[in-house]
Amino acid sequence: MRVIRRPRYCRAIIICHGKSELILFSKLKSVLRLPIVVEGNDKGKSSIKIQSVQGYFEREEFKNKKDFCQKYFQEKYKDLKRKNQFDQLVKHLKIFIVLDADDATKDQIKRYKGCEYFKCRWLKSCCVPIINDPDLERVISNIGMEIPKRKRDKATF
């Protein structure tokens, strides 16, 4: 009997603040073998701030459904639309935006939690804002884990 494999579409997109978050979620993706995409600015070298989330959603892949499907679902939008799969895939997709709160005002954090910074109307229902208050290192130390003292070692824990 021949087994037919179904494509494994992307189930989640995780947009990371910096290198520490990028390494953490990439490791989770690898260990758990999840069909997710982990992204950051410049592979984590430059951070994404709460104020720049709106600019992040102005990238090519978020501008229209065609480019979005090509990058995250590896199929053409017209093929997915014809099979009535696009709406179903987007319905089950989550976009987690993991950012630090240390460089934002209370008003900016409130607007971020209310999803006001998310530009794509057709993806707004998928967006899940996650805040590290004030940053990932402090959150990890609050749960009892040790964090590195030197800045260059922060991304390796």
Side-chain angles (χ1 to χ4, degrees):
M1 186 167 141
R2 190 171 182 193
V3 176
I4 299 173
R5 287 187 164 197
R6 293 185 177 183
R8 291 187 60 185
Y9 294 111
C10 177
R11 300 280 188 227
I13 301 166
I14 301 175
I15 300 171
C16 300
H17 165 74
K19 196 167 189 174
S20 299
E21 290 88 351
L22 193 70
I23 291 171
L24 174 70
F25 290 110
S26 295
K27 190 68 173 177
L28 282 173
K29 172 188 173 181
S30 173
V31 170
L32 299 175
R33 297 181 182 176
L34 298 172
I36 62 175
V37 175
V38 181
E39 291 190 346
N41 265 353
D42 238 3
K43 296 182 181 177
K45 291 179 183 165
S46 64
S47 64
I48 300 172
K49 309 226 181 290
I50 288 178
Q51 305 88 323
S52 62
V53 170
Q54 192 168 2
Y56 192 87
F57 280 104
E58 291 174 357
R59 297 170 107 181
E60 275 306 308
E61 61 263 25
F62 295 109
K63 281 190 177 179
N64 58 44
K65 295 176 183 179
K66 178 184 164 191
D67 293 335
F68 185 81
C69 286
Q70 194 68 37
K71 178 160 184 177
Y72 297 109
F73 298 142
Q74 284 82 37
E75 283 200 37
K76 293 183 178 176
Y77 173 68
K78 65 180 182 179
D79 294 340
L80 291 174
K81 195 68 173 169
R82 186 170 24 95
K83 294 186 250 180
N84 294 325
Q85 285 183 322
F86 179 77
D87 294 331
Q88 197 69 13
L89 289 172
V90 170
K91 181 180 172 185
H92 294 291
L93 176 76
K94 291 293 179 198
I95 301 175
F96 298 100
I97 304 132
V98 184
L99 300 178
D100 290 351
D102 59 353
D103 52 359
T105 64
K106 290 189 185 284
D107 182 52
Q108 289 171 333
I109 293 170
K110 182 180 173 189
R111 291 176 59 198
Y112 171 71
K113 287 179 180 178
C115 300
E116 292 179 33
Y117 288 120
F118 308 132
K119 192 117 175 132
C120 304
R121 297 256 183 239
W122 52 277
L123 285 176
K124 200 168 186 176
S125 63
C126 303
C127 293
V128 179
I130 299 174
I131 288 251
N132 293 321
D133 193 10
D135 58 14
L136 181 66
E137 288 77 19
R138 185 82 51 88
V139 170
I140 288 177
S141 68
N142 286 346
I143 63 171
M145 293 180 66
E146 284 189 32
I147 59 169
K149 304 285 187 240
R150 295 183 298 188
K151 186 171 182 170
R152 69 175 189 198
D153 296 332
K154 278 187 177 181
T156 59
F157 66 92

